Amino acid sequence: MSDGSPLSSTTEKNQKVWPWAVAAGVTAGAAALGKTARWARQQTLPAGPLSPPALDAEVETLEMMEGNARFYFREGTGRPLVFIHSFNAAASSFEMKPLFESAADLTRRPLFALDWLGFGLSDRPDIRYRPELFQRQLRRFMNEHVPGAADVIALSLGGEYAATLALTAPFHFNRLVLLSPTSLGAKPNSSSLRYFLVHGTAATGGFELFFYRLAQRDRIRSFYERQVFLTPDDVPDELVDYAHLTANVKGAHRAPRYFVAGDLFLDEVARNAYAKVTVPTLMVIPEKPESTVQRFERVKHTQARNQQYLHAKRLRSGLMPQWDALDRLQPLLTDFLSK
């Protein structure tokens, strides 16, 4: 208890302030150490762009306010075929390579593959990545570079953006294929705790250091083995190698930070896009997805709400059937896209 003297009052104030001062000092120290470690790590990273490109095709540029996005293009005749990769820590158009190469061998159609801003050969600006940015990128890409209605094949979260554009601008689409589309599980993709952890550690450089620890070849392979493919033997070495390459350049952590935080998933896309799309759409989902990171409990209900346009096929594969089940996937795509 205070005796009322000025000295006693000052002591009490100091006791109250001291814990906060310690906390502030620890936070500042952690920030300084994080910045130092981050600076040291950045000195070891190449600036990019990556070499070689992911696909054997011309690389062209889509200029945006935030930076330059890149896309691959192979000339041809007939209906365009567009490939859209997913979002993850090491995403790029390399994910779509088996399908792009197969189409290049079997058809003379114009082929396109888009690298999202922040991934692949596209710039990695230090900006706030939001769904509106990627919706604008896809819309401009289709408006300015893809002639007429196209067949579009989109992977995972990339399918959310493709389906949303197909709903609002169906004239860009002839048919749409969604490989392992996201937001079809019973639980939501977002988490408040994850959001605050990811963005909270970003200020001290913690997320960046964590990202580059996870972006090592053995950890990338482990992720594919445990959460994407059904067995370790299904994981292609070339996919791991390119994922390691694309995730280890300056700025590679920036866009994935927003993906990991859950910021890039669209609002109720199963109800607001998949169930309302008005172009013929095929969902290809794993037959037994229990060993993967995604769930698909809402497929049946979503399909029932849009029986005219939305169809689903289950395939014995992981989340990337273009890699581990191409022989089973290709006939499905040929049949669907030839109609």
Side-chain angles (χ1 to χ4, degrees):
M1 179 180 293
S2 168
D3 61 6
S5 70
L7 179 59
S8 174
S9 176
T10 300
T11 301
E12 285 187 354
K13 289 179 180 178
N14 287 341
Q15 288 173 341
K16 292 177 181 178
V17 170
W18 175 246
W20 293 102
V22 171
V26 170
T27 301
L33 287 173
K35 287 180 179 178
T36 301
R38 179 172 53 182
W39 178 87
R41 181 69 181 94
Q42 287 174 346
Q43 306 316 301
T44 69
L45 297 172
L50 297 176
S51 180
L55 304 172
D56 183 15
E58 296 294 321
V59 177
E60 301 196 8
T61 298
L62 171 67
E63 295 182 0
M64 301 179 65
M65 293 184 296
E66 297 82 359
N68 291 327
R70 303 303 193 294
F71 64 91
Y72 296 88
F73 172 57
R74 195 218 51 184
E75 289 188 16
T77 57
R79 185 186 307 136
L81 183 54
V82 176
F83 299 94
I84 298 174
H85 70 75
S86 70
F87 291 80
N88 56 65
S92 76
S93 287
F94 198 89
E95 295 174 341
M96 309 304 284
K97 183 180 180 182
L99 290 176
F100 191 97
E101 289 184 340
S102 178
D105 289 341
L106 299 175
T107 78
R108 288 305 309 160
R109 300 172 63 174
L111 304 180
F112 297 85
L114 177 67
D115 270 347
W116 294 111
L117 195 69
F119 298 92
L121 293 186
S122 293
D123 290 352
R124 322 266 180 121
D126 188 4
I127 59 173
R128 189 179 184 188
Y129 290 85
R130 284 293 182 263
E132 296 77 13
L133 166 67
F134 297 111
Q135 288 174 314
R136 174 162 46 89
Q137 179 184 350
L138 182 57
R139 185 171 59 250
R140 282 196 50 203
F141 168 66
M142 297 294 286
N143 274 332
E144 298 173 17
H145 296 283
V146 181
D151 290 330
V152 177
I153 302 177
L155 177 65
S156 193
L157 180 52
E160 294 195 19
Y161 292 93
T164 301
L165 184 63
L167 179 65
T168 58
F171 49 85
H172 286 308
F173 295 77
N174 177 66
R175 290 186 170 240
L176 173 62
V177 177
L178 304 175
L179 302 179
S180 305
T182 47
S183 297
L184 287 167
K187 295 181 180 179
N189 295 304
S190 59
S191 160
S192 297
L193 176 60
R194 180 177 61 188
Y195 177 90
F196 286 111
L197 281 174
V198 170
H199 290 309
T201 58
T204 63
F207 177 80
E208 184 176 342
L209 295 173
F210 172 74
F211 173 86
Y212 287 115
R213 283 178 62 86
L214 290 184
Q216 298 312 299
R217 187 177 278 101
D218 59 336
R219 297 192 179 192
I220 291 172
R221 174 173 287 281
S222 177
F223 169 76
Y224 282 140
E225 290 177 353
R226 291 181 293 106
Q227 300 192 28
V228 178
F229 292 88
L230 297 184
T231 72
D233 290 342
D234 290 334
V235 181
D237 290 339
E238 59 178 321
L239 180 63
V240 174
D241 291 343
Y242 200 88
H244 176 257
L245 181 66
T246 194
N248 282 276
V249 297
K250 289 182 180 177
H253 67 285
R254 290 169 178 161
R257 168 186 157 193
Y258 293 86
F259 166 73
V260 174
D263 294 344
L264 303 186
F265 292 91
L266 301 180
D267 246 1
E268 273 298 330
V269 73
R271 183 179 64 212
N272 296 334
Y274 300 154
K276 294 181 179 179
V277 71
T278 57
V279 300
T281 300
L282 174 66
M283 287 182 172
V284 180
I285 60 178
E287 196 174 75
K288 295 181 179 180
E290 293 80 8
S291 64
T292 69
V293 73
Q294 285 180 229
R295 294 293 177 268
F296 300 91
E297 294 92 345
R298 298 173 66 187
V299 168
K300 188 174 180 180
H301 175 70
T302 304
Q303 186 182 6
R305 298 180 63 182
N306 192 359
Q307 296 182 41
Q308 181 177 357
Y309 294 105
L310 185 61
H311 311 278
K313 293 287 186 181
R314 293 187 178 270
L315 203 64
R316 182 165 52 85
S317 71
L319 297 178
M320 288 190 178
Q322 69 274 28
W323 285 97
D324 64 355
L326 183 61
D327 58 336
R328 296 185 290 276
L329 175 63
Q330 194 66 65
L332 285 181
L333 299 184
T334 299
D335 180 63
F336 180 71
L337 297 180
S338 64
K339 295 176 181 176

